[in-house]
Amino acid sequence: VTDPYLIVWTDESDRLRAAARHDGEWYRAVAASLARPGVRLAVDVGCGGAGMAIALAGALPAEARVMAIDGDDGVLAGAAANIDASGVPRGRIELQRFDLGSDLSGLRALIGEPVDVVWASAVVHHVGDQQTAVDGLARLLAPGGRLALAESGLRPHHLPWDVGIGEPGLELRLHAAEYRWFAGMRERLPGRVAMPYGWTEALGRAGLRDVTTRSALIETPAPLTGSDLDHVVVGFRRRVDRVGTAALLDDADRASWDRLLDPEDRDWLGHRTDLFTLDVRSVHVGTAPGAGSG
Ligand SMILES: C[S@@+](CC[C@H](N)C(=O)[O-])C[C@H]1O[C@@H](n2cnc3c(N)ncnc32)[C@H](O)[C@@H]1O
C-alpha cells in the first residue's frame, strides 16, 4: 500500500504542466514585476511545468539567461514539453536536475554565476529543512539580487457555503483536511526541521534585506465555464482522493463529494452555474545586500 502522504513527483508531471498553463496570466504579471533592467540571470527552482521560467523568458531581454531547475526527471520532461508548446525558442531556457534537499553549494556550481532573480514556488515546503534551503537559495544571489518565494497565501474557494448536499461548509472542511495532510506530508520528509515562523522571517534570517510580501487576488466570478470549470472539478477530484486516502474526511463528507464528483450524478459539480474562483497568492521577496541592479 502506498503511503498517502508520499508524493511521487513524476506522477504529478501532467498536473503540473496543466497548472503552469492555467496560471499563465499570473506568471506573466509576477515575471513583469521581477524583470527589472539589469537582470542577466533568472532561475526558476522547483519549476514544475516551468510556468515561471516561460514567463521570465518572455519578460527579460533575449541576452538574459533563464534556468529551470527541478529534482525530478519526469517533471523536467513535462517542463520541456510546456516550453516547446509555449513558442519560447528551444534552448532559451536551460533545464537542469538538482535536489534542493542536498547541499546547495552544488547548485551554485551548476549555475556557474551569481543569480539576479531566484524564484521558488511551492517547493521549499517540500524540503525537510526549509530554513537551510532558503539560506542556500539566498547564497545564489548576486549583490542586489532578489529571492522570491511563492508560499502560503490563502487556499482557493470555489463552492457556495451550502451546496445542498450534506452539511454546509463542505469546502472549509476539505481545507481543514488538507492542512492535516500537509502536516503529515512534512512529518515524513527526511531531515525534517520545524520552522515555527513565517516566510518573511526566514528570508530575513537568510541575510536578505527589504523583505516584503505582495499578494495577488485571482478571481473568476461564477459561472465558471470550459477549461476553468474542468480545472476546478478535476482539481477537487484529486484533492478529495488525496485526503480521502489518508482517511482525513468523515464518511458523510466523502459521500457528499462522491456525488458531487460523479459525472453520472445529477448533482455533479460540472452541471453547476454557481462555481467561482477566489484565490490569493503570496510572494515573499528579499534582496541580497550590496550594490547591484538586480
Ligand atoms: C508543488 S510543485 C510546484 C511547481 C511549480 N513551482 C508551481 O508553483 O506550480 C513542487 C515542485 O518541486 C519539485 N521538488 C520537490 N521536492 C524537490 C526537491 N527536494 N528538489 C528539487 N525539486 C523538488 C517537484 O518535482 C515539483 O516540480
Side-chain angles (χ1 to χ4, degrees):
V1 183
T2 340
D3 182 341
Y5 293 93
L6 194 74
I7 306 174
V8 178
W9 286 110
T10 298
D11 297 347
E12 303 290 320
S13 173
D14 287 348
R15 175 180 74 79
L16 294 172
R17 274 195 73 184
R21 290 197 301 269
H22 188 263
D23 290 341
E25 197 179 316
W26 178 67
Y27 281 124
R28 283 189 289 279
V30 181
S33 74
L34 293 171
R36 292 187 193 148
V39 172
R40 293 168 38 257
L41 171 54
V43 182
D44 178 359
V45 177
C47 65
M52 184 48 110
I54 292 167
L56 286 166
L60 291 169
E63 59 276 15
R65 262 181 92 193
V66 179
M67 292 184 78
I69 289 165
D70 202 275
D72 186 89
D73 283 330
V75 169
L76 284 168
N82 258 5
I83 292 168
D84 284 348
S86 74
V88 169
R90 190 170 270 265
R92 173 78 181 87
I93 299 173
E94 301 164 48
L95 288 166
Q96 294 283 356
R97 185 159 64 85
F98 190 87
D99 178 2
L100 290 178
S102 62
D103 180 354
L104 264 67
S105 58
L107 183 56
R108 280 173 83 176
L110 184 74
I111 296 171
E113 58 180 326
V115 184
D116 300 304
V117 172
V118 173
W119 169 261
S121 168
V123 61
V124 174
H125 68 239
H126 291 294
V127 176
D129 187 343
Q130 298 170 104
Q131 182 67 61
T132 295
V134 174
D135 292 347
L137 293 175
R139 279 196 294 273
L140 300 175
L141 294 174
R146 283 161 294 153
L147 169 56
L149 301 176
E151 292 283 356
S152 60
L154 299 176
R155 295 201 70 73
H157 286 252
H158 304 290
L159 296 184
W161 163 247
D162 184 355
V163 291
I165 295 177
E167 197 189 324
L170 189 66
E171 189 171 29
L172 291 188
R173 291 191 298 283
L174 175 61
H175 289 170
E178 290 179 319
Y179 285 121
R180 285 159 64 205
W181 179 87
F182 183 82
M185 180 278 291
R186 281 215 45 85
E187 257 170 39
R188 285 158 178 79
L189 289 175
R192 182 184 73 100
V193 176
M195 194 180 85
Y197 46 85
W199 293 104
T200 50
E201 177 71 21
L203 289 168
R205 290 187 190 199
L208 301 182
R209 310 263 169 85
D210 302 325
V211 174
T212 188
T213 303
R214 300 250 333 245
S215 296
L217 170 69
I218 297 177
E219 180 170 31
T220 310
L224 295 184
T225 56
S227 61
D228 287 336
L229 182 59
D230 286 350
H231 188 75
V232 166
V233 175
V234 168
F236 271 130
R237 176 80 271 168
R238 179 185 66 83
R239 295 165 59 195
V240 166
D241 285 348
R242 182 152 84 176
V243 293
T245 311
L248 295 172
L249 283 178
D250 69 25
D251 290 346
D253 278 1
R254 259 190 111 152
S256 300
W257 283 113
D258 281 346
R259 286 177 59 191
L260 292 167
L261 294 171
D262 178 1
E264 303 298 318
D265 197 296
R266 75 183 157 81
D267 292 311
W268 182 48
L269 285 182
H271 293 315
R272 294 185 76 111
T273 53
D274 57 358
L275 301 196
F276 55 91
T277 289
L278 187 66
D279 187 1
V280 176
R281 305 267 174 94
S282 292
V283 180
H284 315 281
V285 186
T287 302
S293 53

